[in-house]
Amino acid sequence: MAAQYVISGSTAKGITASVEQAVADGGLAPGAALPPVRRLADDLGVSAGTVATAYKELRQRGIVVTRGRGGTVVAQAPAVGTRRPPKAPQGVRDLAGGHPDPELLPVLLPPARVEPVNGSHRGSPRLAGLEERAREWFARDGVPDSGVTFAHGALDCMARLLSVELKPGDTVAVEDPGFHHLLDLVPALGLRMAPVAVDDEGIRPEALRGALRAGARALVCSPRGQNPVGGHFTAERRDALLDALAGHPDVLVVEDDHNADIAGAAPHSLATGGLPRWAQVRTVSKHLSVDLRWAALACDATTLARHEGRMLLTSGWVSHVLQETVERTMADPAAREVVRRAERVYGERRAALIRELAGHGIAARGASGMNVWVPVRDESAAVNGLRSRGWWVAAGARFRIAAPTGVRITASALGPADAGRLAADFAAVLGESEATYGG
């Protein structure tokens, strides 16, 4: 039970601020229970309705969740403060970040001169040359390119799409396990999450049907290079998912194809299936540079208009200096060759790690992308055991809602010899864990 002195306030706004501050400061940890509404109302000398209003606001903002008879508790990833993944300890090999190998990124080509801007770019937010390249990028994989615009990265784009399409309390179907930043973003927007199970072919049709029956108003998914499991749509899986969506024309389907050029998997996009409401987001941070915070968005006309309208009211446009750097780099033959090599090498490294783990009897998943997902019974034991042997991997808790436990290993910079050593160490750690805690 939360300590009574932690929460104060005589109005709903004051109570909300008190809880939010306690969560941000660590006074209320994830999973901590808040007092029942009537008890807190009596303690603070306010009406039960005032406390109920405060709790509702906290739920809509993703700070707390309600668990029926379990009461109201602080969310596992409360949407307050600045939360970053734990830094890799000194002296260990960092395989937790999900980043590309710097040796497999091209040299960027920014403009040699940047002329002064006269006024604003709101009237022409997109460079014509980059817009044309973006259209070609989508069309290459069969994604309709009649409506294309830009954003400041994938999460910026998805936040704008969800905030203009949905209202607080609406439900978004998300992959489970899935991209941890998206799992933080959705509740931060005041939205609910419906977890959808994934396998090596991406989201499972029966799980999606369940989320749709439960009232999901939007779906966010990855057609390939899924993070963290690495699944990718096959033609058969895409068709099955389109069949599940057929009776829900008002559901907005957002595809995050952030690994489009290095996923190592053929494109089988839901966007090719004639959906009435859809969007696909692509970024360049994984294959050109983590410093290029730019995303291209292809979508239906209604979604385009709503995204553009909100963009004009906020940041207005993506920096033309950034746009020109992206365009010049995308057009460079040497850069394109580096990207082609990166896709091949990432596939080899991912396969090598899975093979080495299998040699020790450890099952792992990673059909595409840069990461490998390893199911384990005890995430903490696996992470800490590997740390003691010089490896730093990501605990699966950041990526899961209801999915089974596991750890994520980024294989992008892991050579074959390193994969063999890691697999041997992993087997030793699992053996020690079973000896300590039972099989």
Side-chain angles (χ1 to χ4, degrees):
M1 181 65 66
Q4 296 301 311
Y5 68 86
V6 171
I7 302 175
S8 61
S10 58
T11 64
K13 183 177 180 180
I15 296 168
T16 299
S18 174
V19 173
E20 182 173 356
Q21 187 62 52
V23 172
D25 292 344
L28 286 173
L34 272 61
V37 169
R38 292 192 180 277
R39 181 183 302 171
L40 183 59
D42 290 343
D43 291 343
L44 298 178
V46 299
S47 70
T50 297
V51 176
T53 299
Y55 280 14
K56 179 180 179 181
E57 172 70 14
L58 291 165
R59 283 196 303 273
Q60 290 179 341
R61 294 173 56 196
I63 298 172
V64 303
V65 296
T66 298
R67 295 177 175 171
R69 293 184 178 180
T72 299
V73 301
V74 178
Q76 289 302 312
V80 296
T82 301
R83 297 183 313 281
R84 294 184 175 89
K87 290 184 178 180
Q90 288 187 347
V92 300
R93 182 79 176 273
D94 187 1
L95 304 177
H99 303 306
D101 184 348
E103 298 298 321
L104 294 173
L105 293 173
V107 174
L108 299 182
L109 299 174
R113 290 172 55 87
V114 180
E115 300 293 339
V117 176
N118 181 18
S120 167
H121 284 313
R122 289 184 186 274
S124 55
R126 296 181 297 280
L127 293 181
L130 183 56
E131 183 172 353
E132 183 57 31
R133 290 199 176 276
R135 293 183 188 279
E136 293 171 354
W137 196 15
F138 287 114
R140 178 195 72 185
D141 295 330
V143 177
D145 64 337
S146 59
V148 170
T149 189
F150 302 160
H152 299 89
L155 283 170
D156 170 72
C157 186
M158 286 188 277
R160 192 171 294 109
L161 290 173
L162 295 176
S163 65
V164 299
E165 292 289 338
L166 308 180
K167 63 181 185 301
D170 283 346
T171 299
V172 181
V174 297
E175 297 163 329
D176 182 25
F179 182 34
H180 58 100
H181 288 308
L182 177 68
L183 301 187
D184 287 349
L185 173 65
V186 172
L189 296 174
L191 305 171
R192 301 177 184 274
M193 292 188 291
V196 178
V198 299
D199 58 24
D200 288 345
E201 296 183 28
I203 56 176
R204 297 169 58 179
E206 66 274 18
L208 175 59
R209 291 181 188 277
L212 294 172
R213 286 195 298 269
R217 296 282 312 282
L219 163 67
V220 181
C221 61
S222 300
R224 51 187 167 178
Q226 194 269 348
N227 185 2
V229 173
H232 61 84
F233 292 165
T234 60
E236 294 77 14
R237 176 59 58 86
R238 175 200 57 198
D239 292 346
L241 295 172
L242 288 171
D243 183 65
L245 290 162
H248 303 271
D250 294 330
V251 170
L252 174 66
V253 177
V254 182
E255 287 188 322
D256 178 10
D257 198 10
H258 64 287
N259 270 322
D261 284 38
I262 55 168
H268 294 292
S269 169
L270 298 174
T272 64
L275 293 169
R277 300 300 315 282
W278 65 275
Q280 188 182 97
V281 186
R282 293 189 175 187
T283 62
V284 296
S285 60
K286 298 298 186 185
H287 69 277
L288 294 186
S289 172
V290 297
D291 203 36
L292 294 180
R293 309 308 299 170
W294 172 84
L297 170 68
C299 53
D300 67 88
T302 299
T303 303
L304 177 67
R306 292 176 179 177
H307 179 277
E308 293 276 80
R310 181 62 62 88
M311 184 87 164
L312 286 171
L313 292 173
T314 53
S315 55
W317 69 91
V318 176
S319 161
H320 279 205
V321 177
L322 173 58
Q323 289 189 47
E324 187 171 345
T325 301
V326 173
E327 181 187 357
R328 288 164 61 90
T329 307
M330 290 179 74
D332 179 43
R336 292 202 297 268
E337 179 56 35
V338 171
V339 173
R340 284 192 290 268
R341 177 171 176 264
E343 181 176 33
R344 182 181 71 254
V345 171
Y346 289 150
E348 293 169 352
R349 291 174 177 175
R350 189 179 64 247
L353 178 57
I354 293 173
R355 185 172 59 251
E356 293 289 347
L357 289 168
H360 291 274
I362 302 172
R365 302 166 64 183
S368 62
M370 298 191 299
N371 301 302
V372 170
W373 179 260
V374 186
V376 297
R377 186 177 60 82
D378 188 326
E379 294 179 359
S380 296
V383 170
N384 292 327
L386 287 171
R387 175 184 177 179
S388 70
R389 287 167 168 77
W391 308 101
W392 185 243
V393 302
R398 292 167 52 205
F399 307 91
R400 299 184 292 105
I401 302 174
T405 51
V407 297
R408 190 193 74 173
I409 304 174
T410 299
S412 56
L414 195 69
D418 292 331
R421 290 193 295 270
L422 173 60
D425 286 341
F426 209 137
V429 167
L430 293 182
E432 292 174 358
S433 175
E434 290 187 3
T436 302
Y437 300 106

